[in-house]
Amino acid sequence: MYTLTWLDRQEQRIERRLQLLRGSLARWRGARVGQRFGLGRGVRLLYPTCFQAGDDVTISELSYLHCLSARGVVIGKGTSSDRNLWLHCGGTLEDHTHGFFEIGEDSFIGCNAVLGAGGGIRIGNHVRIGQCVNIHAENHRFADPTHLIKEQGVSYQGVVVEDDVWIGSRVTILDGVTIGRGAVIGAGAVVTKSVSSYAIAVGMPARVIGIRGEEKR
């Protein structure tokens, strides 16, 4: 049976102090953050004046957050992300009116998440997001085959994930989707259409196979 040693505990304490120090530097750069805000090693927080977080928020190591947008990035208290989060609000210096990212309180984002928030991503409270989840709140236009896809522009609808949702590992959620309160999305699903509250959805494309709380027949 393994137990934590004194050195293990010291290492944890030192790393936490370093996270808080990096968080203080982000505040000095213009981020609006609460108490005990921490940043892991190697985190890149671009456009910190567009970033806001509540108390007890931690962004783990090697994450990349591009926050440039009129509404910015807002993270509720007690929410955290695991390592290697990639978040981009889609803004440029010439055009940063459309994107944003908002997540509520007591939520968690697993490692290696990719969040393209060009059309806006809003996530509620008490949400659990597994590893390697992709959310894409934008779409390339491609209807005209006589023009390059890159020349046809991008459309934005946005993605909404309501409270108390569990999104399994390697799920992909596409633009225009709303996932209702209390829903569960099974690992590996590709969600192309909205999912109702308390539904259980799996597959590619995702389909509802049950409702939480209903008795099996």
Side-chain angles (χ1 to χ4, degrees):
M1 182 176 181
Y2 296 100
T3 59
L4 288 175
T5 67
W6 178 84
L7 286 176
D8 292 329
R9 297 183 188 280
Q10 287 299 107
E11 184 178 24
Q12 289 179 343
R13 292 189 183 100
I14 291 169
E15 176 55 30
R16 183 55 181 161
R17 288 170 183 165
L18 290 172
Q19 288 177 348
L20 295 175
L21 175 60
R22 299 184 195 106
S24 296
L25 291 175
R27 181 184 289 109
W28 177 77
R29 293 174 58 212
R32 292 166 291 167
V33 297
Q35 299 297 312
R36 297 171 298 279
F37 172 69
L39 292 176
R41 173 179 52 85
V43 172
R44 292 201 65 193
L45 180 61
L46 302 183
Y47 304 99
T49 55
C50 299
F51 181 88
Q52 179 178 343
D55 296 341
D56 300 304
V57 169
T58 299
I59 309 297
S60 293
E61 63 268 25
L62 303 178
S63 294
Y64 176 91
L65 290 81
H66 190 292
C67 305
L68 179 60
S69 62
R71 290 176 59 176
V73 171
V74 180
I75 300 178
K77 68 179 182 180
T79 288
S80 61
S81 69
D82 208 338
R83 61 182 291 142
N84 204 35
L85 165 67
W86 185 92
L87 166 64
H88 202 304
C89 288
T92 65
L93 293 176
E94 294 75 27
D95 178 16
H96 52 272
T97 59
H98 46 78
F100 67 90
F101 178 80
E102 298 174 358
I103 187 168
E105 299 178 1
D106 184 36
S107 291
F108 176 77
I109 301 172
C111 65
N112 302 316
V114 173
L115 307 176
I121 296 173
R122 181 167 58 83
I123 299 172
N125 303 314
H126 315 298
V127 173
R128 292 296 178 265
I129 298 176
Q131 304 92 339
C132 304
V133 167
N134 289 257
I135 302 178
H136 303 286
E138 55 191 68
N139 221 339
H140 285 281
R141 296 189 177 100
F142 56 86
D144 185 352
T146 66
H147 288 77
L148 297 174
I149 292 174
K150 71 175 185 178
E151 296 173 346
Q152 298 183 51
V154 179
S155 64
Y156 303 107
Q157 297 181 68
V159 171
V160 176
V161 178
E162 296 182 350
D163 295 346
D164 190 33
V165 168
W166 175 24
I167 298 172
S169 176
R170 299 188 182 278
V171 167
T172 297
I173 301 172
L174 300 184
D175 195 27
V177 165
T178 294
I179 298 178
R181 180 185 180 94
V184 174
I185 311 299
V190 177
V191 187
T192 61
K193 297 180 180 179
S194 294
V195 176
S196 59
S197 296
Y198 301 103
I200 303 167
V202 300
M204 299 184 290
R207 61 185 181 87
V208 174
I209 61 169
I211 303 296
R212 292 177 58 202
E214 286 190 353
E215 295 182 358
K216 293 183 178 180
R217 299 179 179 176

